[in-house]
Amino acid sequence: MAFIDEPLTEEITKDLRYLNLLANQYPTIAEASTEIINLQAILNLPKGTEHFLTDIHGEYEPFIHVLKNASGVIKRKIDDIFGNSLRHREKKSLATLIYYPEQKLEIILKQEQNIEDWFRITLYRLIELCRHVSSKYTRSKVRKALPKDFAYIIEELLHEQPEKINKQEYYDEIINTIICIDRAKEFIIALAKLIQRLVVDRLHIIGDIFDRGPGAHIILDTLMEYHAVDIQWGNHDILWMGAAAGSEVCMSNVLRISARYANLDTIEDGYGINMLPLATFALEFYKNDPCESFTPKFDCEKQYSIKEIQLISQMHKAISVIQFKLEGEIISRRSEFGMQHRLLLNKINYEEGTIELNGKIYRLNDKNFPTIDPKDPYKLIEEELELIEKLKSSFINSEKLQKHISFLFAKGSMYLKCNSNLLFHGCIPLNEDGTFKKVRLRDKDFKGRKLLDEFERLTREGYFYKNNPLAKQYGMDIIWYLWTGPNSPLFGKDQMTTFERYFIDDKETHKEQKNAYYIYRDDEKMCNMIFEEFGLDNSISHIINGHVPVEKKKGESPINANGKLLVIDGGFSRAYQGKTGIAGYTLIYNSYGLQLVSHEPFKSTEEAIVEETDILSSMVVLEQTVERKRVGDTDVGVELTKQIKDLKMLMSAYRKGLIKEKR
């Protein structure tokens, strides 16, 4: 019988070199055909579940809880499987055990009188749940996810059918033995973590892991252990990436924001960066300065004394003035950035305590500038230069920070195309008429997709080009531009009015004009233009953004352009929850379609464990498919189809004698 879809001999001959390499992996017709059968079968499995989160801003406790409960999916799975056979309280306890197995077991071991009976019941429930969530994957994929200590036993339990009489005793005896040899606790922990692992196939973080909240370093530690994750850089992420690269201006911005939100613990305890030089400098130059405009905002629960608040305020002002000086250097050095209007220190009348902006004179609310020379306002004094060098050394030599930033480069990008979805943090810069905006970089114009590609390339140069100082410096300057520049796709505004917000009370000067992208977000034509630019099918694709919080309590919707553009920043950060009215969104894309989950504020991990409270989440079905999506409908499916084609060519080469089997 003829081989179905047999490739032409000329086509095989052209790829003979590649096929010889492939033959090392599949040395016989039998092995190649087995792999074709395997891959063809995988194409017909349901697609894995993707979760999309954005703008976490250091809020590690709610973020980790959302990962553990899979945005409420695990609770819904428990309801689906056990229905009315378990009481509500029992379902809550089972869910909490899956989220926090180690901590919950400690409590249960102290409370349960018949612990063996509890172990037996719980193990059967966990195995049933585990069997359900693993059913959409191949045995091979599940096997790779299994914890080594219990891999064989779990695989037996998952794939056996206990209702079959021949295996009932075998199945029961495995459970009994686990309990008898005192391994039930470890086995429950392993099953709980396996369930967490299997309910989410891939995690997408659409920017802004850093700043505001107290635990960005904890979030990154968690993500580094996660089984499948990608990250689209946000403007706050790019700032830390620049600081780790050695950009002094990015570093000063990082420190200013950390001081602004009283979040120096992330700097000191998280990354081991010594703040004593900055504190000493601030006490020397701002000792008698109340620094009222620099009083930190408290988004964390940590309590500070009056003296600590005063010191943080002084540090805040000290690093802010240094930041303005360093930014002046870049603006003067890079005229192509078009940011000359942000040179403000030279517009101050230091004797009068006023500043002239756009032809209008404003009175400053703070006139104390002990480190600024009015004749040369951007010049760093000797003590500032010394301070910057010490801080820069700490950032560059922080092993943990460098490890986290390397991870962001390895798993991150400016944008991502995945399964007909286009993910990017902020915007695609547009002109007022809705066309792609041209941006000049190194004497060349870029727009649309090519602009984002060029920004990413230069960002990588800024971090990795250690042996090319000129390229590295330009790359680091570009990283700062991505944080605050008028045509930055991560920032998306014409200016960042940091100076005005600190020193001028008139809020008219605080305005920041958003890029035209945000005007056209609800326009399907704009979305279709972007899909075409990025090579996506506009009939099935979606744009998924973060960056701008959706003010749900004002009636704003995360759904734009008839569902083509989704903004899923719902306010993970406490700083935004007053505006949004919720505490974050998760977008879920499974084989049945798209679902948007909104979360209520999370109280604490301790309360979640002890009182078995969960984040209250509400789900809205955005799109539901008539036919369930399969692996063959995904990007992975495209790659598997290519592999099948190559394997068919290899089999044909074997049969034609062009390549010999290696029996």
Side-chain angles (χ1 to χ4, degrees):
M1 186 176 70
F3 183 40
I4 298 172
D5 298 329
E6 186 166 5
L8 298 172
T9 303
E10 306 89 75
E11 188 179 2
I12 297 169
T13 305
K14 189 171 69 174
D15 292 321
L16 210 53
R17 186 176 177 185
Y18 165 69
L19 293 175
N20 271 300
L21 291 172
L22 192 62
N24 293 325
Q25 192 173 353
Y26 304 99
T28 66
I29 289 176
E31 288 177 273
S33 61
T34 298
E35 184 64 6
I36 289 172
I37 294 166
N38 176 47
L39 296 178
Q40 196 67 53
I42 290 172
L43 290 176
N44 290 282
L45 286 171
K47 80 171 283 295
T49 300
E50 300 169 71
H51 279 222
F52 304 77
L53 295 167
T54 186
D55 295 88
I56 304 156
H57 283 301
E59 297 290 352
Y60 70 95
E61 281 200 283
F63 170 73
I64 289 173
H65 186 83
V66 164
L67 283 194
K68 288 179 177 293
N69 80 351
S71 303
V73 169
I74 288 176
K75 188 189 288 184
R76 290 194 287 275
K77 296 287 186 187
I78 291 171
D79 281 331
D80 292 343
I81 295 165
F82 298 106
N84 295 324
S85 64
L86 291 183
R87 290 173 292 179
H88 178 68
R89 181 175 58 81
E90 291 175 308
K91 292 177 184 177
K92 278 178 63 178
S93 294
L94 182 60
T96 305
L97 178 67
I98 293 169
Y99 307 158
Y100 303 100
E102 297 96 335
Q103 299 93 324
K104 195 62 185 173
L105 277 167
E106 286 184 19
I107 296 171
I108 290 167
L109 289 170
K110 293 173 184 176
Q111 294 176 343
E112 281 292 333
Q113 294 179 347
N114 188 344
I115 194 63
E116 286 192 7
D117 191 42
W118 182 88
F119 276 146
R120 187 171 288 103
I121 292 168
T122 301
L123 283 167
Y124 277 111
R125 288 173 180 170
L126 288 174
I127 290 162
E128 189 172 352
L129 183 58
C130 201
R131 186 181 293 119
H132 179 78
V133 299
S134 66
S135 61
K136 70 193 291 186
Y137 302 115
T138 63
R139 286 196 182 193
S140 173
K141 185 164 185 172
V142 174
R143 191 179 298 123
K144 290 173 184 175
L146 297 176
K148 290 182 181 178
D149 289 352
F150 299 106
Y152 172 76
I153 300 169
I154 293 175
E155 191 169 7
E156 285 290 291
L157 294 171
L158 289 183
H159 299 293
E160 291 303 333
Q161 297 176 323
E163 68 277 5
K164 302 292 183 183
I165 193 166
N166 293 337
K167 286 292 185 78
Q168 181 68 53
E169 291 181 5
Y170 169 75
Y171 184 86
D172 291 341
E173 193 54 40
I174 291 176
I175 301 296
N176 290 331
T177 305
I178 289 169
I179 296 168
C180 288
I181 63 174
D182 197 25
R183 291 286 280 167
K185 180 180 174 182
E186 290 78 12
F187 199 70
I188 285 170
I189 292 169
L191 285 172
K193 291 186 175 179
L194 180 61
I195 291 166
Q196 289 182 32
R197 159 69 178 80
L198 292 174
V199 291
V200 179
D201 191 49
R202 185 170 180 180
L203 177 65
H204 306 282
I205 304 295
I206 310 178
D208 280 0
I209 295 167
F210 283 98
D211 290 333
R212 291 187 168 85
H217 55 294
I218 299 171
I219 293 167
L220 279 158
D221 280 340
T222 303
L223 291 176
M224 288 182 74
E225 297 296 322
Y226 207 75
H227 57 274
V229 64
D230 55 71
I231 299 162
Q232 291 71 60
W233 302 326
N235 52 319
H236 287 269
D237 305 320
I238 207 80
L239 193 61
W240 281 75
M241 292 158 68
S247 167
E248 296 169 355
V249 69
C250 289
M251 180 188 69
S252 62
N253 270 278
V254 162
L255 293 173
R256 178 184 61 79
I257 294 169
S258 296
R260 180 175 174 80
Y261 290 93
N263 189 22
L264 293 173
D265 286 353
T266 299
I267 298 283
E268 293 182 295
D269 300 335
Y271 291 116
I273 293 168
N274 185 8
M275 288 289 93
L276 184 58
L278 178 57
T280 303
F281 175 88
L283 284 172
E284 180 181 350
F285 288 93
Y286 298 92
K287 185 176 182 180
N288 299 316
D289 189 336
C291 300
E292 291 178 2
S293 296
F294 296 86
T295 302
K297 297 176 181 289
F298 296 98
D299 293 324
C300 58
E301 295 176 355
K302 183 176 176 180
Q303 298 297 315
Y304 289 93
S305 68
I306 294 174
K307 285 187 176 180
E308 286 175 320
I309 293 171
Q310 181 62 30
L311 177 58
I312 294 172
S313 302
Q314 291 163 343
M315 294 165 69
H316 186 186
K317 183 175 180 180
I319 199 64
S320 297
V321 172
I322 291 172
Q323 173 193 313
F324 300 139
K325 290 184 177 183
L326 291 169
E327 288 179 340
E329 289 182 6
I330 293 186
I331 293 168
S332 299
R333 181 166 66 239
R334 306 294 181 195
S335 59
E336 68 269 31
F337 287 179
M339 295 179 66
Q340 285 75 12
H341 63 293
R342 296 308 302 158
L343 292 171
L344 303 181
L345 297 185
N346 55 304
K347 295 177 182 177
I348 297 174
N349 184 324
Y350 290 91
E351 289 184 3
E352 298 291 334
T354 60
I355 186 170
E356 184 176 351
L357 298 176
N358 301 317
K360 189 174 179 180
I361 295 175
Y362 298 91
R363 186 159 296 281
L364 301 178
N365 57 35
D366 183 339
K367 306 174 182 64
N368 184 36
F369 298 101
T371 66
I372 293 181
D373 177 0
K375 295 178 182 178
D376 192 0
Y378 297 102
K379 183 179 180 181
L380 292 161
I381 65 173
E382 188 176 336
E383 290 87 346
E384 287 174 324
L385 289 168
E386 186 179 333
L387 170 63
I388 286 295
E389 281 305 310
K390 288 179 180 177
L391 292 171
K392 183 176 175 180
S393 177
S394 291
F395 272 85
I396 291 173
N397 293 303
S398 169
E399 185 178 346
K400 189 164 191 173
L401 177 61
Q402 295 300 330
K403 183 172 71 173
H404 283 171
I405 299 305
S406 293
F407 173 75
L408 281 178
F409 274 105
K411 295 291 183 179
S413 56
M414 289 289 293
Y415 67 90
L416 179 70
K417 293 195 301 178
C418 183
N419 297 331
S420 299
N421 293 314
L422 178 61
L423 286 56
F424 54 87
H425 178 70
C427 70
I428 307 294
L430 301 180
N431 294 306
E432 294 298 321
D433 64 358
T435 56
F436 291 120
K437 191 166 192 176
K438 289 182 180 179
V439 180
R440 181 153 285 252
L441 301 171
R442 281 181 170 169
D443 299 322
K444 289 184 181 179
D445 289 334
F446 299 90
K447 63 179 182 177
R449 181 177 183 174
K450 289 182 178 179
L451 176 62
L452 269 64
D453 287 338
E454 183 66 7
F455 272 136
E456 178 167 338
R457 189 183 69 79
L458 292 171
T459 295
R460 294 184 182 278
E461 286 188 6
Y463 185 75
F464 290 106
Y465 273 34
K466 294 179 173 62
N467 295 325
N468 188 335
L470 290 177
K472 181 175 175 61
Q473 184 61 62
Y474 188 78
M476 289 194 296
D477 290 352
I478 284 291
I479 291 174
W480 172 78
Y481 181 89
L482 285 168
W483 159 247
T484 189
N487 295 312
S488 164
L490 304 184
F491 177 47
K493 296 179 184 179
D494 64 338
Q495 60 183 345
M496 189 178 291
T497 56
T498 306
F499 179 91
E500 292 92 327
R501 290 170 187 270
Y502 284 133
F503 290 100
I504 304 174
D505 293 331
D506 190 337
K507 292 188 177 180
E508 181 68 25
T509 65
H510 301 179
K511 289 183 179 179
E512 299 169 348
Q513 186 69 39
K514 291 180 183 176
N515 183 265
Y517 172 87
Y518 296 98
I519 299 171
Y520 290 97
R521 274 197 312 190
D522 208 30
D523 187 338
E524 286 189 65
K525 289 182 181 178
M526 185 275 282
C527 294
N528 291 339
M529 178 182 75
I530 290 175
F531 292 141
E532 183 179 351
E533 174 74 3
F534 284 83
L536 290 166
D537 183 346
N538 63 35
S539 65
I540 58 172
S541 297
H542 307 88
I543 295 168
I544 305 173
N545 289 164
H547 189 49
V548 178
V550 178
E551 297 187 32
K552 186 178 180 182
K553 70 179 187 179
K554 285 187 177 179
E556 289 185 2
S557 172
I559 306 164
N560 297 270
N562 289 324
K564 289 195 171 187
L565 192 152
L566 306 170
V567 183
I568 61 168
D569 180 3
F572 256 104
S573 172
R574 295 185 191 186
Y576 295 132
Q577 288 171 14
K579 288 184 177 181
T580 61
I582 56 173
Y585 287 116
T586 302
L587 182 67
I588 299 173
Y589 183 27
N590 59 25
S591 57
Y592 295 104
L594 282 168
Q595 302 164 352
L596 188 68
V597 180
S598 62
H599 307 296
E600 295 299 314
F602 180 68
K603 292 182 179 179
S604 71
T605 301
E606 182 180 0
E607 188 171 317
I609 296 166
V610 176
E611 299 182 22
E612 298 181 342
T613 59
D614 204 344
I615 290 180
L616 295 175
S617 302
S618 303
M619 186 181 74
V620 176
V621 176
L622 300 179
E623 290 183 4
Q624 194 161 4
T625 57
V626 177
E627 289 187 21
R628 199 174 184 187
K629 283 191 176 290
R630 306 288 169 177
V631 172
D633 302 316
T634 68
D635 295 344
V636 170
V638 172
E639 292 303 313
L640 294 182
T641 301
K642 290 178 182 176
Q643 291 177 35
I644 290 169
K645 180 183 177 183
D646 291 341
L647 287 164
K648 285 181 177 180
M649 289 177 65
L650 177 62
M651 286 182 65
S652 187
Y654 282 142
R655 287 175 170 155
K656 294 176 186 294
L658 297 173
I659 298 176
K660 294 180 180 179
E661 290 185 81
K662 302 172 184 177
R663 299 185 183 279

